[in-house]
Amino acid sequence: MGWSRRVRSCLEAPLELLRPVPPMAWIPISILWFGIGNKAAAFIIFLGAFFPVLLNTMAGVKSIDPVILDAARTLNAARRTVFFKILIPATVPSIFTGVRIGLGIGWMTLVAAEFTGVREGYGLGYMIMTARDIQRPDLIVAGMCVIGFVGIILDKGLRVVRDRCAAWQ
């Protein structure tokens, strides 16, 4: 979408219609489509993570210096070469920024989705809600701490991958 005006013109309106809808609003329909379980959770996580990755990737493509693209065209570089040698390397930092944001939103969405539609005994969201029901604030805070620590570990792991994939940055 960031590179092709035709693709952007076809997909922008439907995606902009869906983007402002919170992932949590999709829980009822995901349960209808996928049932209660991992497929519904994966769908909700995907919705939470997709748009930050998409928007950051598009911004990364648009931020490429046009002089570099013009130079490649002047040298008769094929579209495929421009895509793989200029576009992808130039957008890797933006893609990883989107993935970091999407990962955080996806993680929050997963835990929040567990509050409403999980089978007994699964997940931190279920544990926190059960602790609320039995009036155990210590378990609620412990669950919140685990959520935070797992989020930190996920983010640090993603930064390690980013540093290896975009060592020039």
Side-chain angles (χ1 to χ4, degrees), residues 126-163:
Y126 177 80
M127 183 193 86
I128 291 170
M129 293 305 285
T130 302
R132 180 205 63 184
D133 292 343
I134 61 173
Q135 297 183 3
R136 293 282 310 270
D138 57 324
L139 290 177
I140 295 170
V141 172
M144 292 167 60
C145 289
V146 171
I147 291 167
F149 286 128
V150 170
I152 289 171
I153 291 167
L154 290 171
D155 187 64
K156 288 206 182 280
L158 189 58
R159 281 194 263 165
V160 167
V161 173
R162 178 203 59 201
D163 292 345

mmCIF file of all heavy atoms in Angstrom, residues 126-163:
data_model
loop_
_atom_site.group_PDB
_atom_site.id
_atom_site.type_symbol
_atom_site.label_atom_id
_atom_site.label_comp_id
_atom_site.label_asym_id
_atom_site.label_seq_id
_atom_site.Cartn_x
_atom_site.Cartn_y
_atom_site.Cartn_z
ATOM 1 N N TYR A 126 -8.054 -14.797 32.934
ATOM 2 C CA TYR A 126 -8.966 -15.629 33.722
ATOM 3 C C TYR A 126 -8.546 -15.642 35.183
ATOM 4 O O TYR A 126 -9.388 -15.535 36.079
ATOM 5 C CB TYR A 126 -8.987 -17.054 33.157
ATOM 6 C CG TYR A 126 -9.856 -17.984 33.957
ATOM 7 C CD1 TYR A 126 -11.234 -17.990 33.779
ATOM 8 C CD2 TYR A 126 -9.314 -18.830 34.922
ATOM 9 C CE1 TYR A 126 -12.044 -18.815 34.522
ATOM 10 C CE2 TYR A 126 -10.115 -19.658 35.672
ATOM 11 C CZ TYR A 126 -11.478 -19.651 35.466
ATOM 12 O OH TYR A 126 -12.270 -20.475 36.222
ATOM 13 N N MET A 127 -7.238 -15.747 35.443
ATOM 14 C CA MET A 127 -6.749 -15.763 36.817
ATOM 15 C C MET A 127 -7.096 -14.462 37.537
ATOM 16 O O MET A 127 -7.548 -14.467 38.689
ATOM 17 C CB MET A 127 -5.237 -15.972 36.844
ATOM 18 C CG MET A 127 -4.667 -16.076 38.254
ATOM 19 S SD MET A 127 -2.887 -15.956 38.315
ATOM 20 C CE MET A 127 -2.681 -14.191 38.374
ATOM 21 N N ILE A 128 -6.922 -13.332 36.852
ATOM 22 C CA ILE A 128 -7.226 -12.038 37.468
ATOM 23 C C ILE A 128 -8.712 -11.913 37.760
ATOM 24 O O ILE A 128 -9.113 -11.441 38.836
ATOM 25 C CB ILE A 128 -6.720 -10.893 36.570
ATOM 26 C CG1 ILE A 128 -5.190 -10.868 36.567
ATOM 27 C CG2 ILE A 128 -7.288 -9.547 37.006
ATOM 28 C CD1 ILE A 128 -4.576 -9.943 35.545
ATOM 29 N N MET A 129 -9.550 -12.337 36.831
ATOM 30 C CA MET A 129 -10.992 -12.253 37.061
ATOM 31 C C MET A 129 -11.441 -13.178 38.187
ATOM 32 O O MET A 129 -12.299 -12.817 38.988
ATOM 33 C CB MET A 129 -11.755 -12.574 35.769
ATOM 34 C CG MET A 129 -11.549 -11.528 34.680
ATOM 35 S SD MET A 129 -11.951 -9.854 35.203
ATOM 36 C CE MET A 129 -13.720 -9.925 35.188
ATOM 37 N N THR A 130 -10.854 -14.359 38.253
ATOM 38 C CA THR A 130 -11.177 -15.270 39.344
ATOM 39 C C THR A 130 -10.734 -14.681 40.684
ATOM 40 O O THR A 130 -11.460 -14.765 41.687
ATOM 41 C CB THR A 130 -10.512 -16.640 39.118
ATOM 42 O OG1 THR A 130 -10.964 -17.155 37.868
ATOM 43 C CG2 THR A 130 -10.860 -17.613 40.225
ATOM 44 N N ALA A 131 -9.534 -14.071 40.698
ATOM 45 C CA ALA A 131 -9.037 -13.437 41.923
ATOM 46 C C ALA A 131 -9.962 -12.298 42.354
ATOM 47 O O ALA A 131 -10.182 -12.092 43.548
ATOM 48 C CB ALA A 131 -7.615 -12.933 41.709
ATOM 49 N N ARG A 132 -10.505 -11.593 41.400
ATOM 50 C CA ARG A 132 -11.470 -10.541 41.730
ATOM 51 C C ARG A 132 -12.708 -11.138 42.392
ATOM 52 O O ARG A 132 -13.204 -10.644 43.392
ATOM 53 C CB ARG A 132 -11.868 -9.780 40.470
ATOM 54 C CG ARG A 132 -12.875 -8.664 40.754
ATOM 55 C CD ARG A 132 -13.700 -8.301 39.574
ATOM 56 N NE ARG A 132 -14.512 -9.449 39.162
ATOM 57 C CZ ARG A 132 -15.293 -9.456 38.107
ATOM 58 N NH1 ARG A 132 -15.352 -8.398 37.325
ATOM 59 N NH2 ARG A 132 -16.012 -10.509 37.795
ATOM 60 N N ASP A 133 -13.191 -12.240 41.806
ATOM 61 C CA ASP A 133 -14.404 -12.872 42.324
ATOM 62 C C ASP A 133 -14.223 -13.392 43.748
ATOM 63 O O ASP A 133 -15.163 -13.364 44.538
ATOM 64 C CB ASP A 133 -14.846 -14.013 41.407
ATOM 65 C CG ASP A 133 -15.323 -13.510 40.049
ATOM 66 O OD1 ASP A 133 -15.618 -12.297 39.930
ATOM 67 O OD2 ASP A 133 -15.370 -14.336 39.110
ATOM 68 N N ILE A 134 -13.029 -13.863 44.059
ATOM 69 C CA ILE A 134 -12.789 -14.403 45.410
ATOM 70 C C ILE A 134 -12.089 -13.386 46.317
ATOM 71 O O ILE A 134 -11.619 -13.726 47.391
ATOM 72 C CB ILE A 134 -11.988 -15.726 45.354
ATOM 73 C CG1 ILE A 134 -10.623 -15.532 44.717
ATOM 74 C CG2 ILE A 134 -12.788 -16.802 44.640
ATOM 75 C CD1 ILE A 134 -9.717 -16.760 44.786
ATOM 76 N N GLN A 135 -12.027 -12.144 45.842
ATOM 77 C CA GLN A 135 -11.491 -11.018 46.601
ATOM 78 C C GLN A 135 -10.051 -11.268 47.066
ATOM 79 O O GLN A 135 -9.736 -11.199 48.263
ATOM 80 C CB GLN A 135 -12.408 -10.688 47.781
ATOM 81 C CG GLN A 135 -13.778 -10.255 47.312
ATOM 82 C CD GLN A 135 -14.688 -9.858 48.451
ATOM 83 O OE1 GLN A 135 -14.303 -9.854 49.608
ATOM 84 N NE2 GLN A 135 -15.917 -9.515 48.116
ATOM 85 N N ARG A 136 -9.184 -11.540 46.086
ATOM 86 C CA ARG A 136 -7.754 -11.758 46.350
ATOM 87 C C ARG A 136 -6.924 -10.719 45.595
ATOM 88 O O ARG A 136 -6.409 -10.983 44.515
ATOM 89 C CB ARG A 136 -7.335 -13.162 45.904
ATOM 90 C CG ARG A 136 -7.918 -14.312 46.681
ATOM 91 C CD ARG A 136 -7.210 -14.523 48.031
ATOM 92 N NE ARG A 136 -5.777 -14.576 47.968
ATOM 93 C CZ ARG A 136 -5.052 -15.684 47.795
ATOM 94 N NH1 ARG A 136 -5.638 -16.847 47.662
ATOM 95 N NH2 ARG A 136 -3.730 -15.616 47.762
ATOM 96 N N PRO A 137 -6.803 -9.512 46.150
ATOM 97 C CA PRO A 137 -6.042 -8.471 45.460
ATOM 98 C C PRO A 137 -4.571 -8.847 45.250
ATOM 99 O O PRO A 137 -3.950 -8.374 44.300
ATOM 100 C CB PRO A 137 -6.187 -7.240 46.353
ATOM 101 C CG PRO A 137 -6.668 -7.731 47.655
ATOM 102 C CD PRO A 137 -7.365 -9.032 47.416
ATOM 103 N N ASP A 138 -4.037 -9.689 46.118
ATOM 104 C CA ASP A 138 -2.651 -10.110 45.937
ATOM 105 C C ASP A 138 -2.474 -10.883 44.628
ATOM 106 O O ASP A 138 -1.493 -10.682 43.902
ATOM 107 C CB ASP A 138 -2.182 -10.950 47.119
ATOM 108 C CG ASP A 138 -3.050 -12.184 47.364
ATOM 109 O OD1 ASP A 138 -4.289 -12.101 47.159
ATOM 110 O OD2 ASP A 138 -2.503 -13.228 47.762
ATOM 111 N N LEU A 139 -3.435 -11.737 44.285
ATOM 112 C CA LEU A 139 -3.366 -12.478 43.026
ATOM 113 C C LEU A 139 -3.590 -11.560 41.817
ATOM 114 O O LEU A 139 -2.991 -11.763 40.756
ATOM 115 C CB LEU A 139 -4.391 -13.609 43.004
ATOM 116 C CG LEU A 139 -4.117 -14.784 43.948
ATOM 117 C CD1 LEU A 139 -5.241 -15.802 43.871
ATOM 118 C CD2 LEU A 139 -2.782 -15.425 43.624
ATOM 119 N N ILE A 140 -4.444 -10.553 42.007
ATOM 120 C CA ILE A 140 -4.671 -9.596 40.924
ATOM 121 C C ILE A 140 -3.374 -8.859 40.605
ATOM 122 O O ILE A 140 -2.960 -8.769 39.444
ATOM 123 C CB ILE A 140 -5.792 -8.600 41.298
ATOM 124 C CG1 ILE A 140 -7.127 -9.331 41.432
ATOM 125 C CG2 ILE A 140 -5.881 -7.471 40.276
ATOM 126 C CD1 ILE A 140 -8.235 -8.488 42.029
ATOM 127 N N VAL A 141 -2.711 -8.348 41.646
ATOM 128 C CA VAL A 141 -1.455 -7.618 41.448
ATOM 129 C C VAL A 141 -0.374 -8.556 40.901
ATOM 130 O O VAL A 141 0.399 -8.170 40.014
ATOM 131 C CB VAL A 141 -1.011 -6.930 42.757
ATOM 132 C CG1 VAL A 141 0.379 -6.333 42.629
ATOM 133 C CG2 VAL A 141 -2.019 -5.865 43.148
ATOM 134 N N ALA A 142 -0.328 -9.786 41.399
ATOM 135 C CA ALA A 142 0.648 -10.752 40.884
ATOM 136 C C ALA A 142 0.414 -11.004 39.389
ATOM 137 O O ALA A 142 1.364 -11.042 38.600
ATOM 138 C CB ALA A 142 0.566 -12.060 41.674
ATOM 139 N N GLY A 143 -0.838 -11.162 39.001
ATOM 140 C CA GLY A 143 -1.160 -11.351 37.584
ATOM 141 C C GLY A 143 -0.753 -10.151 36.754
ATOM 142 O O GLY A 143 -0.215 -10.295 35.648
ATOM 143 N N MET A 144 -1.008 -8.955 37.269
ATOM 144 C CA MET A 144 -0.609 -7.745 36.568
ATOM 145 C C MET A 144 0.909 -7.667 36.414
ATOM 146 O O MET A 144 1.412 -7.266 35.350
ATOM 147 C CB MET A 144 -1.145 -6.514 37.308
ATOM 148 C CG MET A 144 -2.670 -6.404 37.240
ATOM 149 S SD MET A 144 -3.366 -5.199 38.386
ATOM 150 C CE MET A 144 -2.597 -3.701 37.880
ATOM 151 N N CYS A 145 1.634 -8.060 37.456
ATOM 152 C CA CYS A 145 3.106 -8.058 37.381
ATOM 153 C C CYS A 145 3.610 -9.060 36.337
ATOM 154 O O CYS A 145 4.525 -8.754 35.566
ATOM 155 C CB CYS A 145 3.711 -8.373 38.746
ATOM 156 S SG CYS A 145 3.518 -7.043 39.948
ATOM 157 N N VAL A 146 3.004 -10.240 36.301
ATOM 158 C CA VAL A 146 3.394 -11.237 35.299
ATOM 159 C C VAL A 146 3.128 -10.705 33.894
ATOM 160 O O VAL A 146 3.962 -10.853 32.987
ATOM 161 C CB VAL A 146 2.666 -12.578 35.538
ATOM 162 C CG1 VAL A 146 2.886 -13.533 34.379
ATOM 163 C CG2 VAL A 146 3.136 -13.217 36.839
ATOM 164 N N ILE A 147 1.989 -10.065 33.698
ATOM 165 C CA ILE A 147 1.670 -9.471 32.393
ATOM 166 C C ILE A 147 2.752 -8.460 32.004
ATOM 167 O O ILE A 147 3.252 -8.462 30.875
ATOM 168 C CB ILE A 147 0.278 -8.812 32.419
ATOM 169 C CG1 ILE A 147 -0.810 -9.886 32.517
ATOM 170 C CG2 ILE A 147 0.067 -7.921 31.198
ATOM 171 C CD1 ILE A 147 -2.185 -9.330 32.852
ATOM 172 N N GLY A 148 3.135 -7.609 32.941
ATOM 173 C CA GLY A 148 4.177 -6.614 32.678
ATOM 174 C C GLY A 148 5.524 -7.244 32.371
ATOM 175 O O GLY A 148 6.200 -6.847 31.415
ATOM 176 N N PHE A 149 5.921 -8.240 33.146
ATOM 177 C CA PHE A 149 7.216 -8.890 32.918
ATOM 178 C C PHE A 149 7.250 -9.631 31.585
ATOM 179 O O PHE A 149 8.241 -9.563 30.858
ATOM 180 C CB PHE A 149 7.564 -9.840 34.063
ATOM 181 C CG PHE A 149 7.979 -9.133 35.326
ATOM 182 C CD1 PHE A 149 7.367 -9.445 36.529
ATOM 183 C CD2 PHE A 149 8.955 -8.150 35.310
ATOM 184 C CE1 PHE A 149 7.735 -8.794 37.700
ATOM 185 C CE2 PHE A 149 9.322 -7.486 36.469
ATOM 186 C CZ PHE A 149 8.717 -7.801 37.667
ATOM 187 N N VAL A 150 6.177 -10.309 31.251
ATOM 188 C CA VAL A 150 6.129 -10.997 29.949
ATOM 189 C C VAL A 150 6.188 -9.970 28.826
ATOM 190 O O VAL A 150 6.879 -10.176 27.816
ATOM 191 C CB VAL A 150 4.872 -11.894 29.832
ATOM 192 C CG1 VAL A 150 4.693 -12.405 28.422
ATOM 193 C CG2 VAL A 150 4.978 -13.057 30.813
ATOM 194 N N GLY A 151 5.507 -8.851 28.989
ATOM 195 C CA GLY A 151 5.564 -7.784 27.989
ATOM 196 C C GLY A 151 6.978 -7.257 27.799
ATOM 197 O O GLY A 151 7.432 -7.040 26.669
ATOM 198 N N ILE A 152 7.697 -7.067 28.903
ATOM 199 C CA ILE A 152 9.089 -6.614 28.820
ATOM 200 C C ILE A 152 9.946 -7.639 28.087
ATOM 201 O O ILE A 152 10.746 -7.292 27.215
ATOM 202 C CB ILE A 152 9.659 -6.341 30.229
ATOM 203 C CG1 ILE A 152 9.033 -5.080 30.822
ATOM 204 C CG2 ILE A 152 11.180 -6.213 30.192
ATOM 205 C CD1 ILE A 152 9.358 -4.854 32.282
ATOM 206 N N ILE A 153 9.778 -8.908 28.422
ATOM 207 C CA ILE A 153 10.566 -9.968 27.781
ATOM 208 C C ILE A 153 10.274 -10.029 26.287
ATOM 209 O O ILE A 153 11.193 -10.138 25.465
ATOM 210 C CB ILE A 153 10.296 -11.327 28.462
ATOM 211 C CG1 ILE A 153 10.887 -11.315 29.875
ATOM 212 C CG2 ILE A 153 10.859 -12.479 27.642
ATOM 213 C CD1 ILE A 153 10.431 -12.456 30.749
ATOM 214 N N LEU A 154 9.003 -9.950 25.916
ATOM 215 C CA LEU A 154 8.640 -9.949 24.492
ATOM 216 C C LEU A 154 9.270 -8.762 23.766
ATOM 217 O O LEU A 154 9.821 -8.905 22.669
ATOM 218 C CB LEU A 154 7.120 -9.935 24.328
ATOM 219 C CG LEU A 154 6.371 -11.203 24.718
ATOM 220 C CD1 LEU A 154 4.864 -10.952 24.699
ATOM 221 C CD2 LEU A 154 6.742 -12.356 23.811
ATOM 222 N N ASP A 155 9.200 -7.577 24.365
ATOM 223 C CA ASP A 155 9.747 -6.382 23.736
ATOM 224 C C ASP A 155 11.267 -6.473 23.609
ATOM 225 O O ASP A 155 11.824 -6.149 22.565
ATOM 226 C CB ASP A 155 9.348 -5.140 24.526
ATOM 227 C CG ASP A 155 9.769 -3.868 23.807
ATOM 228 O OD1 ASP A 155 9.252 -3.622 22.703
ATOM 229 O OD2 ASP A 155 10.630 -3.140 24.342
ATOM 230 N N LYS A 156 11.934 -6.921 24.653
ATOM 231 C CA LYS A 156 13.400 -7.045 24.585
ATOM 232 C C LYS A 156 13.807 -8.079 23.548
ATOM 233 O O LYS A 156 14.771 -7.878 22.808
ATOM 234 C CB LYS A 156 13.970 -7.389 25.952
ATOM 235 C CG LYS A 156 13.916 -6.241 26.923
ATOM 236 C CD LYS A 156 14.978 -6.345 27.980
ATOM 237 C CE LYS A 156 14.879 -5.209 28.960
ATOM 238 N NZ LYS A 156 15.475 -3.987 28.472
ATOM 239 N N GLY A 157 13.079 -9.187 23.463
ATOM 240 C CA GLY A 157 13.367 -10.198 22.447
ATOM 241 C C GLY A 157 13.193 -9.647 21.046
ATOM 242 O O GLY A 157 14.021 -9.900 20.161
ATOM 243 N N LEU A 158 12.153 -8.865 20.850
ATOM 244 C CA LEU A 158 11.922 -8.263 19.538
ATOM 245 C C LEU A 158 13.013 -7.250 19.202
ATOM 246 O O LEU A 158 13.448 -7.150 18.059
ATOM 247 C CB LEU A 158 10.543 -7.603 19.499
ATOM 248 C CG LEU A 158 10.076 -7.134 18.142
ATOM 249 C CD1 LEU A 158 10.045 -8.284 17.139
ATOM 250 C CD2 LEU A 158 8.707 -6.513 18.244
ATOM 251 N N ARG A 159 13.489 -6.512 20.203
ATOM 252 C CA ARG A 159 14.579 -5.564 19.950
ATOM 253 C C ARG A 159 15.870 -6.280 19.567
ATOM 254 O O ARG A 159 16.627 -5.783 18.728
ATOM 255 C CB ARG A 159 14.793 -4.667 21.161
ATOM 256 C CG ARG A 159 13.761 -3.562 21.213
ATOM 257 C CD ARG A 159 14.145 -2.495 22.181
ATOM 258 N NE ARG A 159 13.454 -2.770 23.441
ATOM 259 C CZ ARG A 159 13.759 -2.225 24.592
ATOM 260 N NH1 ARG A 159 14.765 -1.407 24.691
ATOM 261 N NH2 ARG A 159 13.062 -2.505 25.658
ATOM 262 N N VAL A 160 16.119 -7.447 20.150
ATOM 263 C CA VAL A 160 17.297 -8.230 19.770
ATOM 264 C C VAL A 160 17.188 -8.651 18.302
ATOM 265 O O VAL A 160 18.147 -8.536 17.533
ATOM 266 C CB VAL A 160 17.460 -9.467 20.690
ATOM 267 C CG1 VAL A 160 18.468 -10.452 20.136
ATOM 268 C CG2 VAL A 160 17.859 -9.030 22.091
ATOM 269 N N VAL A 161 16.015 -9.127 17.912
ATOM 270 C CA VAL A 161 15.798 -9.518 16.507
ATOM 271 C C VAL A 161 15.966 -8.306 15.597
ATOM 272 O O VAL A 161 16.610 -8.379 14.544
ATOM 273 C CB VAL A 161 14.404 -10.161 16.326
ATOM 274 C CG1 VAL A 161 14.095 -10.402 14.868
ATOM 275 C CG2 VAL A 161 14.316 -11.455 17.117
ATOM 276 N N ARG A 162 15.391 -7.174 15.987
ATOM 277 C CA ARG A 162 15.519 -5.950 15.194
ATOM 278 C C ARG A 162 16.985 -5.546 15.020
ATOM 279 O O ARG A 162 17.422 -5.206 13.930
ATOM 280 C CB ARG A 162 14.764 -4.803 15.857
ATOM 281 C CG ARG A 162 14.898 -3.486 15.090
ATOM 282 C CD ARG A 162 14.667 -2.263 15.936
ATOM 283 N NE ARG A 162 15.602 -2.217 17.044
ATOM 284 C CZ ARG A 162 15.400 -1.515 18.141
ATOM 285 N NH1 ARG A 162 14.301 -0.835 18.305
ATOM 286 N NH2 ARG A 162 16.291 -1.498 19.110
ATOM 287 N N ASP A 163 17.749 -5.614 16.108
ATOM 288 C CA ASP A 163 19.155 -5.231 16.033
ATOM 289 C C ASP A 163 19.951 -6.138 15.106
ATOM 290 O O ASP A 163 20.894 -5.704 14.463
ATOM 291 C CB ASP A 163 19.775 -5.211 17.428
ATOM 292 C CG ASP A 163 19.207 -4.096 18.298
ATOM 293 O OD1 ASP A 163 18.564 -3.174 17.746
ATOM 294 O OD2 ASP A 163 19.399 -4.159 19.529
#
